[in-house]
Amino acid sequence: AALIFNHTTKIPFLIENGHTIKGVVSLLEGGTYVFETTDSKGRTVQDTTPHTIQLDPDSYPEVTINVPAKDLTVHESDMVEIRYAAKDDFGISEISLIFEQKEERKERVLASFGKKQLQYSGAYVWSLSELSLQPDDKIAYHVEVKDNDAISVPKVSRSTTYYLEIYSSRKKHQELVQLQETLLQELI
């Protein structure tokens, strides 16, 4: 027994118990198919009516950062909690925190999945003290999700990029001096 796909590709199938056809088909495109069998006298018989297969395209995964969904000013030793949610139509394989520190791209895997995981919500407490940050440093970060597409190539999507700016007492002092000068000018 076999399945004939788009009149050209012949995929062998097994006949079990004399009446059940069993096999596996992996397709990259839609089309039509017919079954072909050989009867007990050796004659090959094909379906007269082609059957249609329509494939659903694999969509890109989606990921959002829910908390903090804004830029923040933080201290170099703060703990920042990041809450995120990801989903994909066929399954998520990995979720990572991506950040740039001094123009160097770094990655932390937040979650990875061996079995089919269509959606996931998680939280990560980011200890900034391990990054050796200095006042005025600025960290850009986002979360990336990779789907489990093993047929073509895994699709990757990313959240909105947010920024952590390390608090600077010097910068804050300059802002306050500027504000005082502005207020003084308005009073005069």
Side-chain angles (χ1 to χ4, degrees), residues 37-48:
T37 57
T38 304
D39 65 15
S40 58
K41 296 181 183 172
R43 293 180 294 197
T44 300
V45 180
Q46 268 191 10
D47 273 347
T48 55

Side-chain angles (χ1 to χ4, degrees), residues 95-110:
I95 302 171
S96 299
L97 172 66
I98 309 297
F99 60 99
E100 284 188 28
Q101 181 181 8
K102 297 181 178 146
E103 299 182 25
E104 182 182 345
R105 185 181 195 268
K106 298 181 180 183
E107 178 176 352
R108 290 230 172 104
V109 175
L110 302 177

Side-chain angles (χ1 to χ4, degrees), residues 6 26 50 66-67 125 144 150:
N6 284 343
S26 293
N66 301 319
V67 173
V125 178
E144 283 186 357

Side-chain angles (χ1 to χ4, degrees), residues 51-184:
H51 307 278
T52 301
I53 294 179
Q54 186 174 8
L55 301 182
D56 292 331
D58 183 20
S59 298
Y60 275 82
E62 297 175 23
V63 63
T64 56
I65 294 176
N66 301 319
V67 173
K70 61 182 180 178
D71 298 342
L72 294 176
T73 300
V74 294
H75 291 275
E76 59 267 19
S77 60
D78 281 355
M79 306 282 272
V80 176
E81 182 180 27
I82 298 173
R83 286 192 225 149
Y84 56 91
K87 65 181 180 176
D88 185 62
D89 54 351
F90 289 106
I92 300 165
S93 68
E94 189 174 272
I95 302 171
S96 299
L97 172 66
I98 309 297
F99 60 99
E100 284 188 28
Q101 181 181 8
K102 297 181 178 146
E103 299 182 25
E104 182 182 345
R105 185 181 195 268
K106 298 181 180 183
E107 178 176 352
R108 290 230 172 104
V109 175
L110 302 177
S112 58
F113 307 96
K115 61 179 183 143
K116 191 169 187 174
Q117 184 79 35
L118 296 178
Q119 55 186 345
Y120 182 80
S121 293
Y124 174 69
V125 178
W126 194 4
S127 174
L128 300 181
S129 61
E130 60 194 50
L131 300 178
S132 302
L133 297 168
Q134 300 297 316
D136 287 330
D137 282 355
K138 200 168 190 177
I139 304 285
Y141 71 96
H142 64 272
V143 174
E144 283 186 357
V145 61
K146 188 184 303 181
D147 74 7
N148 64 0
D149 185 350
I151 303 298
S152 56
V153 65
K155 293 174 185 62
V156 177
S157 293
R158 60 189 278 180
S159 70
T160 301
T161 298
Y162 295 107
Y163 295 88
L164 298 177
E165 185 174 354
I166 304 306
Y167 177 82
S168 167
S169 58
R170 181 186 50 77
K171 184 176 179 180
K172 190 66 174 175
H173 177 75
Q174 287 173 342
E175 288 172 2
L176 289 173
V177 167
Q178 181 66 37
L179 179 61
Q180 284 177 339
E181 288 175 0
T182 302
L183 291 173
L184 185 61

